[in-house]
Amino acid sequence: SKLRATADYDAATIYISLEKWQKAKVILEGFRKHHPKQHKLQFGVTEKLALVYNKTGKPLKAANEMIVLSNTAKHYTANQRRELLWEAATIYNANNRMKTAKRILTAYIKNYPKPLEQAIEARQLLADFNMKSNPKQYYHWLREIIKADNRGEKDRTRRTHYLAANAYMQLTLPLFKAYKRARLTIPLKRSLKKKKNLMEKVVKSYDNAMKYRVAEITTSATYYIAEIYNDFATALLQSQKPKNLNADELDQYTVLIEEQAFPFEEKAIDIHVANVNQIKDGIYDKWVKDSLKKLRKLSPARYEKDEKAVSYVDAIY
């Protein structure tokens, strides 16, 4: 009968209104099979199947219907199509279908650069997916987060600032590790230049992260910068000594190295102090606490006072 398609469609609609999801599912799947040319109603069938699959515990099938609607439902607004694609990506992510989630999110970023915050969240998800399996792609998407936020202008938010600042922190980690691996060996002039260049790159990267003025990123970056200067001082003191020096020459050489190391030790202390001073602004997170612990070792005469430190923090709160 020519009325069969409409009757099936209406029956499914009634079952949905009665929340008879399984019966609606059977009819809608049958409709798609028996009336493939009924294009006028196919969009409605797809919409209803997306709902029914979701209600009957078949989220991946629901996501597939959402993708179809996002790509073909021309009567939908751009915002409706965008939300459908995002929901589909969220479902695949929640169900550990990373390959499909990556494909959908890549399409999302290409087609929907705004709202900026959600487009950057998509980049963050892609970075997270690749963190362990594909470091090259992981760092690629971290850089894309920074680029998108920099281009965002008035669309930037506190969340996009946080994600961009955090991306800088993650991108700095391999630089930090490379710096730590660098050893001061003979000839000292050459190895010293290499380690100092690495140190400057790491500090600059942490400075970039701090420019976003995100409290937890700022305290973390400040802590690491202080540790870099302290490490540089330690590396100087433990650097390889020339082998052809007599006792007097070795003593003189050691004094010279200590004089070179001292300013870096002082700078490390000053930066840790700056971090601890953020307690005055009500900031007392892990990194401030860690700076305080470091100061108790670097400057025990002033900071090895547990009881006073604790009472001071308690007084603030």
Side-chain angles (χ1 to χ4, degrees):
S1 168
K2 292 181 179 180
L3 299 176
R4 173 66 183 272
T6 303
D8 282 347
Y9 186 87
D10 290 344
T13 302
I14 293 169
Y15 276 127
I16 288 172
S17 69
L18 296 171
E19 298 186 1
K20 303 291 185 180
W21 309 115
Q22 190 61 37
K23 289 186 177 182
K25 170 178 167 294
V26 172
I27 293 174
L28 290 168
E29 288 177 340
F31 183 101
R32 182 170 281 174
K33 179 180 179 181
H34 298 300
H35 310 293
K37 295 182 180 180
Q38 292 285 339
H39 296 294
K40 184 178 180 180
L41 298 175
Q42 285 294 347
F43 283 123
V45 170
T46 303
E47 288 175 323
K48 288 174 169 53
L49 276 172
L51 173 62
V52 168
Y53 283 142
N54 192 43
K55 293 293 186 179
T56 55
K58 298 186 181 299
L60 295 178
K61 284 191 173 184
N64 285 336
E65 302 300 325
M66 292 174 190
I67 294 170
V68 172
L69 288 171
S70 178
N71 292 333
T72 61
K74 303 302 180 184
H75 60 291
Y76 278 21
T77 65
N79 194 49
Q80 286 174 316
R81 293 196 298 273
R82 178 187 63 78
E83 288 179 351
L84 283 167
L85 197 61
W86 179 260
E87 180 65 18
T90 302
I91 290 171
Y92 273 103
N93 179 32
N95 286 272
N96 295 317
R97 299 299 180 92
M98 302 308 181
K99 186 176 181 180
T100 305
K102 287 179 186 179
R103 177 173 54 80
I104 298 171
L105 288 167
T106 303
Y108 181 94
I109 292 165
K110 180 180 179 181
N111 295 323
Y112 305 107
K114 292 185 179 181
L116 178 67
E117 185 173 310
Q118 201 160 36
I120 289 182
E121 291 282 7
R123 290 172 172 85
Q124 183 64 57
L125 282 172
L126 285 166
D128 292 342
F129 291 156
N130 289 288
M131 184 186 296
K132 295 181 180 179
S133 60
N134 192 333
K136 185 177 180 180
Q137 279 295 300
Y138 173 59
Y139 293 123
H140 165 77
W141 286 113
L142 290 177
R143 287 189 289 270
E144 288 298 308
I145 289 169
I146 294 168
K147 288 179 185 177
D149 181 72
N150 287 343
R151 294 192 300 259
E153 298 180 351
K154 63 180 182 180
D155 295 319
R156 301 163 82 189
T157 66
R158 290 179 66 181
R159 176 63 178 168
T160 68
H161 280 326
Y162 171 79
L163 292 175
N166 185 63
Y168 259 118
M169 293 297 289
Q170 299 305 314
L171 286 167
T172 307
L173 189 56
L175 293 175
F176 181 78
K177 289 180 178 178
Y179 161 78
K180 290 283 286 184
R181 286 195 301 268
R183 296 286 180 262
L184 297 183
T185 56
I186 298 300
L188 186 60
K189 186 176 181 180
R190 183 189 302 169
S191 60
L192 186 63
K193 181 180 180 181
K194 178 183 177 181
K195 191 169 180 71
K196 193 169 184 179
N197 286 339
L198 288 169
M199 179 182 71
E200 289 171 353
K201 287 181 181 179
V202 179
V203 170
K204 183 179 179 180
S205 191
Y206 280 133
D207 280 339
N208 286 332
M210 292 169 67
K211 289 176 183 177
Y212 289 91
R213 299 184 181 279
V214 178
E216 64 188 271
I217 300 295
T218 298
T219 56
S220 174
T222 302
Y223 172 84
Y224 278 114
I225 290 172
E227 283 302 281
I228 287 166
Y229 282 113
N230 187 49
D231 174 83
F232 197 82
T234 302
L236 278 170
L237 295 173
Q238 296 177 351
S239 61
Q240 190 176 17
K241 306 293 190 297
K243 296 180 179 180
N244 58 343
L245 300 179
N246 59 39
D248 290 338
E249 290 171 336
L250 184 60
D251 287 342
Q252 292 175 6
Y253 181 87
T254 301
V255 170
L256 180 63
I257 290 295
E258 288 174 350
E259 289 175 351
Q260 294 291 317
F262 180 74
F264 291 100
E265 289 179 344
E266 288 294 294
K267 197 161 189 176
I269 290 171
D270 289 344
I271 296 171
H272 276 309
V273 168
N275 217 20
V276 169
N277 283 342
Q278 295 190 74
I279 294 174
K280 298 174 184 176
D281 297 321
I283 300 171
Y284 189 59
D285 62 10
K286 170 187 178 338
W287 304 106
V288 173
K289 293 176 184 177
D290 286 350
S291 280
L292 190 55
K293 289 177 183 177
K294 290 293 181 179
L295 285 171
R296 287 170 182 162
K297 294 180 179 179
L298 295 172
S299 185
R302 182 176 178 185
Y303 289 95
E304 190 61 65
K305 301 173 183 178
D306 293 341
E307 292 181 7
K308 289 185 178 180
V310 172
S311 62
Y312 177 55
V313 174
D314 289 342
I316 290 176
Y317 288 98

